[in-house]
Amino acid sequence: MKVVRIEAIPFAIPYRKPLRFASGEVHVADHVLVRVHTDDGVVGVAEAPPRPYTYGETQESIVAVIDKLFAPELRGLTLLEREAAHARMDRTVGNPAAKAAVDMAIWDALGRTLGLSVSQLLGGFTDRMRVSHMVGFAPDAEMVAEAERVRDTYGIQVFKVKVGRRPVELDVGACRALRVALGPDVELYVDGNRGWTPSEAARALRAMADLDLTLSEELCPADDVLGRRWLTAQTTVPTVADESAPTPGAVTRELLDGAATMVSIKTARTGFSRSQAILHQCEGLGAEVVMGNQIDGQLGTACTVAFGAAHRSSSRRAGELSNFLDMSDDLLTEPLEISGGELAVRSGPGIGVDVDPDKLAHYRRDT
Ligand code: MUC
Ligand code: MG
């Protein structure tokens, strides 16, 4: 059960259709595959998606911090010494996606070693989640056509609509077009990725008051301290903290400050160990959670559903589990399949997925 080697392998898979949102856009999944090898010959895997516009990490920085710092620091620890692994990684500040992928690859290796599912080790509450699909910026008709295609093909009934453009009317019009086309039974919520000021956000929410939005996520930047508190106090739509709450301390600040009423948990930034800390913190504080998507590939999505389904409070809402559908290919031997609006946890040991060596050889960027 001893860690003998950690690999960080950069790869790049183009998106068929880019995802555009207020803080950036994604055309290529330029992620990092992390492999943790043990002295028993077990290999645990996870993927790290760099999001420079959210956390400052790049594909190169993730590879470098794992190769230069985390791999030498973690070598020799057993798979059960995860707190020690985190204490060593936390000597380096930041780098959430790199740390999360190492954490999840260790969990995957542990599950494979024990012959047990990580989702069951984490909590085993259920074996599937309802799926929410993120709709990025495009002309209204394209956003509607995408949502209709995803609904008709995969049975998805929950949509997170990217907002945060200027003028706010652009997004208000898109949300209205989606509500009119999809009808009253589909769930719609919005994510601004910090694109609006508090006053713009307040105006937009007023203009969308009849659209039955269930959540509003990160409409303005975390540094708009008083503005976010002012906004959250006046809206009846629950406010989700996403990129403003990537650590337990930030979660406490956002919730106790009145800047947010709910928290997005992303395994891509807090792995399994720290996501569980945040989940339990939210349960203790009485704050709901949503399983978010960091524009994950299939491996990252398998991690999100494994974690989300493992606990009662994280499986309650639809998880954001479908944006890998826009990638032109992926690394797994058996692709994830969404049907009836749900994604099942993989039953195999660990996270339950395997990387196809031919696909990795084709897409890796370090050879
Ligand atoms: C989201 O929920 O914000 C966009 C940037 C990122 O880090 O995650 C995505 C989706
Ligand atoms: Mg978000």
Side-chain angles (χ1 to χ4, degrees), residues 19 21 23-24 26 51 53-55 134 160 162 191 193-194 217-218 242-243 264 266 269 292-295 320:
L19 182 70
F21 43 97
S23 56
V26 171
R51 298 286 165 252
Y53 30 78
T54 314
Y55 314 106
M134 290 197 287
K160 168 158 119 173
K162 288 297 191 182
D191 181 1
N193 288 112
R194 302 162 274 144
E217 178 171 312
E218 215 72 85
D242 174 12
E243 54 264 47
S264 172
K266 292 184 173 175
R269 72 170 167 233
N293 185 318
Q294 211 157 283
I295 323 174
E320 296 162 7

Side-chain angles (χ1 to χ4, degrees), residues 59-103:
Q59 189 179 48
E60 293 77 9
S61 79
I62 289 172
V63 171
V65 80
I66 292 175
D67 281 351
K68 294 211 164 80
L69 296 174
F70 299 162
E73 284 168 353
L74 270 49
R75 212 174 293 130
L77 288 178
T78 76
L79 300 173
L80 294 173
E81 293 175 302
R82 290 183 303 280
E83 281 294 300
H86 276 281
R88 291 182 190 188
M89 288 196 285
D90 286 345
R91 291 174 189 157
T92 304
V93 298
N95 294 283
K99 290 176 183 172
V102 170
D103 175 80

